[in-house]
Amino acid sequence: MTAPSPRALAWRRRGAAFAGGWREFARHRSGLVGLAILLVIVVLALLAPVITDQDGLDVIKATGGPMESPSGEYPLGTDRLGRSVLLLTLWSARVSLSVGLVATLLSVAIGTIIGILAAHFGRWVSATLMRVTDFFLVLPSLVLAIALSTVLARGMGTIILAIGLTSWPAAARVVRAQTLTVEARPYIERSKALGGGHLHVITKHVLPAVMPLVFVNTTLAVGSAIVAESTLSFLGLGDPDPMRPSWGSMLRSAWLDSAALVGAWWYLLPPGIAIGIVVLAFTMCGRALETVLNPRLREG
């Protein structure tokens, strides 16, 4: 019988590790509930063009009356322009989730690169990068994001840049601490002694060791990014295109139309509840993953 190749053995070990991680994750009911909620919301957001008509977002083609209460035709009522609140909520999920995920990936990527470089090279490189990180930590990220969104042209790309470029310092400090721990292990010294360069050590040893932490940090940071996007949109700094609404812009419209004063609860509550549910679901998944990937938490 032919012995399996090293690549096959590596993939077999990865499959076994993934299966073990999934079994550990499945032990956390909160993580499973959060994952199920996220799957349902993502599927609804992806299927929005299939199960709904985007033309209903056009104020010219809206067929409902202003702020109609929930009915059979409009389960969540309508807004001031006669558009279905349910339709707005579904399509807003696409924008809010997309901005939250992409902005989080950008911020985590920046933080990971800076954290690894600061820990690996040390000395003046670490001092310089950490002083830059401390500068961004001292300044409120939301204020910086508002400033960037005000200077640049309004749109989804601007919000993603504003959130991604201002929320990376926390990830950088966490990754730097983990990288210092990994760099102190004996196999790193052996790799350097055998002629491994900086790129080899970082890509082959350090990065794989810190990726679980990065993945958990990404999961936990998506909720904060969605809240930041909603805040910027509520302040009027979001995408001005009415065909690309977000949960934050829905809240802004409800506030401008005095939905709370006239008792139009169906106009105000759906986007707020959607934001709360999604943030809670990401937090539950992130905490469960943190327990799975951190042996000390798992033992506790």
Side-chain angles (χ1 to χ4, degrees), residues 112-201:
T112 301
I113 293 173
I114 291 179
I116 290 178
L117 293 180
H120 179 77
F121 290 101
R123 298 184 179 180
W124 65 269
V125 176
S126 177
T128 302
L129 292 178
M130 286 299 99
R131 295 298 76 78
V132 174
T133 303
D134 292 339
F135 172 78
F136 277 92
L137 278 174
V138 171
L139 296 178
S141 59
L142 182 59
V143 175
L144 289 177
I146 292 174
L148 286 175
S149 300
T150 304
V151 173
L152 301 176
R154 290 173 58 188
M156 287 180 58
T158 298
I159 293 183
I160 291 172
L161 284 176
I163 298 174
L165 295 178
T166 57
S167 57
W168 57 266
R173 297 188 69 88
V174 171
V175 171
R176 176 179 178 271
Q178 181 68 12
T179 302
L180 289 174
T181 302
V182 174
E183 293 268 1
R185 294 173 181 172
Y187 69 86
I188 298 294
E189 294 295 331
R190 289 197 297 268
S191 178
K192 294 178 180 179
L194 292 174
H198 297 300
L199 184 61
H200 175 82
V201 172

Side-chain angles (χ1 to χ4, degrees), residues 10 20 61 73-74 93 128 132 187 196 227 242 275:
K61 299 179 181 179
E73 185 178 2
Y74 301 106
T128 302
V132 174
Y187 69 86
V227 172
I275 293 172

Side-chain angles (χ1 to χ4, degrees), residues 67 87 89 100 111 126 129 152 161 164 170 180 225 229 250 264 281-282 292 295:
M67 292 194 187
L87 181 67
T89 304
S126 177
L129 292 178
L152 301 176
L161 284 176
L180 289 174
E229 183 278 328
M250 287 183 65
F282 272 111
V292 171

Side-chain angles (χ1 to χ4, degrees), residues 1 4 11 20 28 34 38 45 48 53 68 77 95 104 119 132 147-148 177 221 226 235 241 256 276 283 287 300:
M1 183 177 179
W11 279 106
H28 299 272
L38 289 178
D53 186 4
E68 289 185 7
V95 175
T104 300
V132 174
L148 286 175
I226 292 176
L235 295 175
D241 189 352
L256 292 176
T283 302
R287 294 305 179 190

Side-chain angles (χ1 to χ4, degrees), residues 67-91:
M67 292 194 187
E68 289 185 7
S69 59
S71 62
E73 185 178 2
Y74 301 106
L76 293 180
T78 63
D79 65 354
R80 183 179 62 85
L81 301 174
R83 298 179 297 176
S84 171
V85 175
L86 177 59
L87 181 67
L88 288 169
T89 304
L90 286 177
W91 281 88

